[in-house]
Amino acid sequence: FAWVVAGSADDTVSTRAVVEGFSSKRTRRAHARYCDTLPEHLVGEPQFFVAHAWDAPFQTLVAQLTTYFRGADPSAVMLYLDVFSVNHHTRLPPDAALAHVQEVARHTDKTLVVVDQDGLALHRAWVLYEVWATMTSHGWLPGSVQLLSYGLQWSPLLQELFDNMAFSAAQANSLGDVKAIL
């Protein structure tokens, strides 16, 4: 997925824009997940669940994952990244979406939480739910959730986000999602 933004002069393009302008467009006719359009050797059972904010820069997501996996054999790393692993043409009912997240969390080794400079992921209901699903499915094992924040400068804003993190104040694009998660 790095080639999606490689060479892009605009490092502010959000993940949402990548979904709407790239993966959804390329799968619209087939009503499929983007990963279903790839050759079989590029798709496998994911080891890592990637939690991130859709309104954060996609470039940050790519940079954080690239740094985390530096030196790893790309053919040996399988990610569950909703941008490419979810069918964006069909919206699951909230209960089914929650169950799907729990299933992904249960079958992956670790959840990687990608944090951008503004800490958007820490305010997103789905991200917090993904972390909770991972922790409960892995017995609260240390290391089952890892925060990726390479190269970010600690700021008063990030400190405030951590100090005041409250699931009840988390946001989602759909009020129904927040109600189902809570």
Side-chain angles (χ1 to χ4, degrees):
F1 57 83
W3 55 266
V4 173
V5 293
S8 172
D10 186 359
D11 61 358
T12 63
V13 173
S14 71
T15 299
R16 181 179 313 284
V18 170
V19 169
E20 293 169 355
F22 177 79
S23 58
S24 287
K25 280 186 178 180
R26 283 166 175 72
T27 58
R28 184 174 295 130
R29 188 169 296 163
H31 282 294
R33 305 173 308 161
Y34 184 77
C35 65
D36 293 333
T37 69
L38 299 173
E40 283 186 28
H41 72 279
L42 295 176
V43 180
E45 290 299 316
Q47 304 121 316
F48 301 92
F49 189 174
V50 181
H52 61 98
W54 274 37
D55 292 324
F58 187 71
Q59 190 87 15
T60 298
L61 174 65
V62 171
Q64 298 293 358
L65 292 171
T66 300
T67 300
Y68 182 79
F69 290 108
R70 184 168 287 132
D73 175 5
S75 66
V77 175
M78 293 293 163
L79 307 176
Y80 182 91
L81 181 58
D82 57 0
V83 174
F84 305 117
S85 301
V86 168
N87 184 338
H88 299 290
H89 306 287
T90 305
R91 181 162 168 80
L92 292 175
D95 289 347
L98 293 171
H100 179 71
V101 166
Q102 289 175 347
E103 188 71 14
V104 172
R106 190 172 18 264
H107 292 287
T108 51
D109 299 330
K110 181 182 283 195
T111 293
L112 305 174
V113 181
V114 177
V115 178
D116 69 300
Q117 188 63 44
D118 296 327
L120 292 176
L122 305 175
H123 282 288
R124 302 304 299 173
W126 279 108
V127 171
L128 298 177
Y129 182 76
E130 291 159 357
V131 168
W132 177 84
T134 300
M135 297 299 290
T136 57
S137 68
H138 289 274
W140 300 90
L141 288 174
S144 59
V145 174
Q146 184 161 353
L147 198 65
L148 303 186
S149 59
Y150 304 110
L152 297 182
Q153 298 296 315
W154 195 254
S155 67
L157 172 62
L158 284 177
Q159 183 65 49
E160 182 181 334
L161 288 172
F162 274 97
D163 290 345
N164 299 311
M165 196 178 325
F167 197 88
S168 61
Q171 303 165 356
N173 290 330
S174 163
L175 183 58
D177 287 352
V178 174
K179 288 180 180 180
I181 292 169
L182 291 176

